[in-house]
Amino acid sequence: MLVLKHAFLNLKRHRWQHLLLGSLLFLLIFTTMTAYTLFTSAGRFAKQYERQFKSVVTILQSDLSIAQGETQAKEQYLKIGESDFVDEMKIIGNISIVFDQLKTVQQPINIGRGTMDSSLETDEMQLELTILRFGTTADIAKELFESNQELKTGTTNLKLNECLISDDLAKLNQLSIGDTIEFTVVGNDQKAPKKLTIAGIYQSKTPVEKRNDDNWSAFQSDDVFINSDTVSTMEDFKKFGSMNVSYKLKSQKDTSNFIKEIEQTNVSKQHYIMTNETNKKTAISIINGVKTFSSVLFLGSLIFGVFILIFVALDRFKRSQVEICILKSSGITNKQLVYSRLIELLGVISISFIFALFVVLHTVQPIADWQITSQKRLYDVFEQVAFTVTSDASEVVHSLPISLDGLSFISFVAIAGLCLLIIGSIDSYKIFKFKSIAFLLERNIDE
């Protein structure tokens, strides 16, 4: 009882010293707990991500394949899509167009014009190019979802000569459902304008103020969607359009076998075959980047923390030598002193641990998302690669899910226990080695 009473009295008597000690312990425990949580969460997420990753094989049309015409190419795509390896198929066509009267969200593109002699200077003309995309209702819905877009108003079930435009384009030109837009296909010398009726408006799921102008959401802010029936009436598509098809496979293991099937057809000779394997490697690299950062932070804070704790323990003992000398002279045994100081230290560490745990639970997720963003900036090619090949929206890592379990809590307690062990061990050793007579003889007369 005497030991416990003395410990609580000391907590109150030396509250400023304990406040400083608690602050140091809080920073150390918070840093190591945060780093450990990031490390374990990144490891779990990387394994889960790799297991659930959906392999996508994309066939891009070349100039030679465009010359074959839409019908023959589409028949080849559909036949390949009947493979046992394929889970889903998506066909999206592309045509470059120019609006006759509308303003575009994107910056104009400079197009050189002049003589064929590259040594001569050429004039430049500016074209406000827009991509006209087409597909079935299901394919359009997939394209919007995989591009982080959503329907704002209207419908994606487009009829003949109906279209779907972006909210940015609609606001810029004050357009709404039922309005008509005119455009001309790029490359058409006849300049024959075509008309479409707006049936739906889509928007980005990402708020405008948070968008990055270099990412896909900004690139797609002018895109116009039409259905396959509408494009079949356009003779210009056979000359200037192209179709890209993507196949989502049932298993990652099927990728090589499926590509071999494609190579046995005429498609492989006239098209480019690409996979999203680079997407997976890049995403895993971003996650591993967080894992590497957190491991370095954990080991660094642990090693640095050990030295800090040793210094704190020695300084703590030095400041209390007079008190220890008086208590020993009063008949207090070494064991009683050790127990009292351990209870005192346990109280400070417990408060620091609870406060650190509370802060970690509320801040580790924002820290993890910030780390993902920082790592993605290091891999600035990620956004370009991720959408050069058609990919599933779930492939793009925007956030690192934080997962805490019983083992994590045990590890947190172990970190706090390590702090108690280091300071307590040094404190106990110094108390048992402390000699009151030697301490008094070494003190200066002025003291």
Side-chain angles (χ1 to χ4, degrees):
M1 189 65 182
L2 176 65
V3 171
L4 189 62
K5 183 178 179 180
H6 179 261
F8 280 108
L9 285 174
N10 266 358
L11 282 173
K12 182 179 179 180
R13 187 182 300 117
H14 305 304
R15 55 183 175 274
W16 293 113
Q17 294 181 19
H18 291 133
L19 182 62
L20 177 60
L21 175 61
S23 300
L24 291 173
L25 290 171
F26 164 77
L27 290 175
L28 175 60
I29 295 173
F30 169 76
T31 304
T32 50
M33 285 169 58
T34 300
Y36 177 84
T37 303
L38 290 175
F39 179 80
T40 54
S41 297
R44 293 192 193 102
F45 182 66
K47 292 179 181 178
Q48 182 182 10
Y49 178 89
E50 197 163 7
R51 285 197 304 265
Q52 296 181 353
F53 186 85
K54 295 292 186 180
S55 294
V56 178
V57 177
T58 302
I59 300 177
L60 303 176
Q61 277 190 293
S62 62
D63 294 338
L64 180 61
S65 64
I66 292 175
Q68 287 186 334
E70 174 199 6
T71 305
Q72 184 177 354
K74 189 170 183 178
E75 289 177 353
Q76 292 175 330
Y77 295 154
L78 293 174
K79 185 176 180 180
I80 294 173
E82 296 174 356
S83 171
D84 295 334
F85 300 124
V86 176
D87 186 27
E88 293 181 17
M89 179 180 67
K90 182 185 72 175
I91 300 177
I92 290 291
N94 301 285
I95 312 172
S96 296
I97 63 172
V98 177
F99 291 122
D100 296 340
Q101 298 177 346
L102 303 182
K103 298 178 182 178
T104 58
V105 181
Q106 301 305 313
Q107 294 294 327
I109 300 175
N110 293 325
I111 305 295
R113 60 178 180 177
T115 63
M116 297 297 293
D117 188 351
S118 60
S119 63
L120 298 178
E121 294 185 358
T122 61
D123 297 330
E124 284 190 348
M125 61 179 295
Q126 288 189 331
L127 284 180
E128 296 183 349
L129 292 179
T130 299
I131 303 299
L132 182 66
R133 300 179 181 272
F134 73 87
T136 63
T137 300
D139 290 340
I140 292 175
K142 290 179 188 176
E143 182 74 2
L144 290 176
F145 173 75
E146 292 171 359
S147 304
N148 198 34
Q149 309 290 324
E150 63 183 358
L151 186 67
K152 179 181 181 182
T153 183
T155 179
T156 56
N157 188 16
L158 305 176
K159 299 178 182 178
L160 186 66
N161 294 326
E162 287 186 342
C163 68
L164 183 70
I165 67 172
S166 71
D167 185 48
D168 294 334
L169 186 64
K171 288 180 178 178
L172 185 62
N173 295 278
Q174 298 181 346
L175 298 173
S176 59
I177 302 296
D179 290 344
T180 301
I181 60 175
E182 293 187 2
F183 66 90
T184 302
V185 175
V186 175
N188 190 340
D189 296 332
Q190 297 180 359
K191 301 295 181 183
K194 295 175 176 56
K195 295 183 179 181
L196 296 173
T197 302
I198 300 174
I201 297 175
Y202 68 88
Q203 64 182 1
S204 173
K205 296 178 183 177
T206 306
V208 175
E209 62 271 13
K210 293 184 179 180
R211 286 190 213 161
N212 183 351
D213 290 338
D214 296 328
N215 66 17
W216 178 253
S217 61
F219 175 78
Q220 200 185 4
S221 57
D222 275 345
D223 288 0
V224 176
F225 290 86
I226 60 176
N227 63 13
S228 301
D229 294 334
T230 301
V231 80
S232 63
T233 64
M234 299 170 56
E235 292 294 329
D236 294 327
F237 174 72
K238 295 180 180 180
K239 296 180 181 179
F240 311 112
S242 64
M243 284 195 303
N244 298 330
V245 60
S246 61
Y247 304 95
K248 185 183 292 185
L249 306 185
K250 297 177 181 178
S251 172
Q252 297 181 42
K253 300 176 181 178
D254 299 333
T255 304
S256 58
N257 293 329
F258 180 63
I259 292 177
K260 290 179 181 178
E261 280 192 3
I262 298 177
E263 290 175 346
Q264 294 175 0
T265 66
N266 293 328
V267 171
S268 62
K269 300 177 182 178
Q270 301 162 348
H271 297 70
Y272 302 109
I273 302 173
M274 304 177 69
T275 69
N276 64 339
E277 189 67 19
T278 303
N279 298 26
K280 182 179 75 172
K281 292 180 179 178
T282 307
I284 292 295
S285 297
I286 290 174
I287 300 170
N288 286 337
V290 177
K291 191 176 179 181
T292 301
F293 167 79
S294 58
S295 63
V296 172
L297 179 62
F298 178 77
L299 292 175
S301 60
L302 204 60
I303 295 172
F304 181 73
V306 169
F307 287 102
I308 291 294
L309 291 176
I310 293 174
F311 173 79
V312 167
L314 294 174
D315 182 70
R316 180 171 180 262
F317 177 81
K318 183 178 180 181
R319 290 176 180 273
S320 59
Q321 287 184 57
V322 174
E323 181 182 349
I324 293 173
C325 182
I326 295 173
L327 290 172
K328 279 194 171 188
S329 300
S330 302
I332 303 297
T333 64
N334 289 334
K335 282 188 177 181
Q336 289 176 320
L337 273 174
V338 169
Y339 289 153
S340 175
R341 291 174 68 84
L342 283 178
I343 293 172
E344 182 183 334
L345 181 62
L346 182 62
V348 176
I349 291 179
S350 298
I351 295 173
S352 301
F353 173 79
I354 293 172
F355 188 47
L357 180 61
F358 176 80
V359 176
V360 166
L361 293 176
H362 287 79
T363 61
V364 68
Q365 185 64 63
I367 292 174
D369 295 341
W370 169 74
Q371 263 299 299
I372 286 289
T373 303
S374 300
Q375 292 297 325
K376 286 176 71 173
R377 286 174 184 162
L378 296 177
Y379 294 89
D380 54 356
V381 73
F382 175 75
E383 294 290 347
Q384 302 173 16
V385 171
F387 293 105
T388 298
V389 181
T390 302
S391 59
D392 192 345
S394 61
E395 294 175 16
V396 184
V397 180
H398 297 290
S399 177
L400 175 63
I402 296 300
S403 55
L404 295 173
D405 52 16
L407 182 61
S408 299
F409 184 76
I410 293 174
S411 301
F412 296 161
V413 174
I415 292 172
L418 179 63
C419 298
L420 177 64
L421 179 64
I422 293 175
I423 299 178
S425 298
I426 294 175
D427 207 38
S428 301
Y429 174 79
K430 298 292 285 185
I431 287 175
F432 277 98
K433 288 293 184 180
F434 182 79
K435 302 296 181 183
S436 298
I437 297 177
F439 169 70
L440 292 174
L441 291 175
E442 291 175 359
R443 289 176 58 85
N444 297 325
I445 296 177
D446 296 337
E447 294 180 316

